[in-house]
Amino acid sequence: YQEQYGGERGATFVGRLGDDTLALTRAWVSQPDGVDGVFDAGLATEIGAEATVGQPVDGLVLALHLLSARHGQLAFSFYDDPADGVAATVGPGRITQRWIVPPNTLATGEYRVAFELAVAYRRVIHYDAARGELAFRVDNIT
């Protein structure tokens, strides 16, 4: 992964992880304001992922794992959490998902985000904590 801090500060991954069926192409953690490289605990934080679907996928899994610096899992969320049952068939194209962590949810400290791509109950296409993972720090700034 690579960390890039720019206009909207945050950790960003740009690349291609997966296969011809499903691939993670971009992921980010961002806030509209704050100090370079550090997120404000008092502001909402956006975590996002973009994936390319190369062929129809029945039961698409695009999920995030929010982890503490010590690798403990704090949260897990699918892109289709509000839906009932297994995700419907998703055709070829691009999927963008954004998750919002509300203000004052994360305590001061270091965090990591790992992304998972899979076909439900059949196979994991990508879940490698060393590739495509993002890292960020939260402090009490305001």
Side-chain angles (χ1 to χ4, degrees), residues 16-137:
R16 185 172 177 82
L17 299 170
D19 62 18
D20 291 338
T21 302
L22 188 58
L24 180 70
T25 54
R26 189 168 78 95
W28 64 91
V29 180
S30 66
Q31 282 185 338
D33 297 309
V35 176
D36 282 348
V38 179
F39 293 99
D40 187 343
L43 298 175
T45 302
E46 179 181 279
I47 301 171
E50 191 172 274
T52 300
V53 180
Q55 55 189 313
V57 176
D58 188 23
L60 170 78
V61 173
L62 169 57
L64 76 78
H65 299 261
L66 179 61
L67 308 160
S68 70
R70 297 183 185 267
H71 307 284
Q73 183 161 290
L74 303 173
F76 175 75
S77 180
F78 289 107
Y79 88 99
D80 65 340
D81 270 347
D84 293 331
V86 175
T89 300
V90 176
R94 179 165 288 162
I95 292 177
T96 301
Q97 177 62 36
R98 290 174 174 85
W99 293 270
I100 304 298
V101 179
N104 302 310
T105 300
L106 298 176
T108 298
E110 303 284 333
Y111 295 90
R112 296 175 18 256
V113 179
F115 296 92
E116 181 178 349
L117 300 172
V119 178
Y121 307 111
R122 284 185 229 120
R123 70 182 175 110
V124 173
I125 294 171
H126 168 73
Y127 181 62
D128 180 350
R131 299 177 62 218
E133 183 180 90
L134 307 177
F136 65 102
R137 176 165 181 75

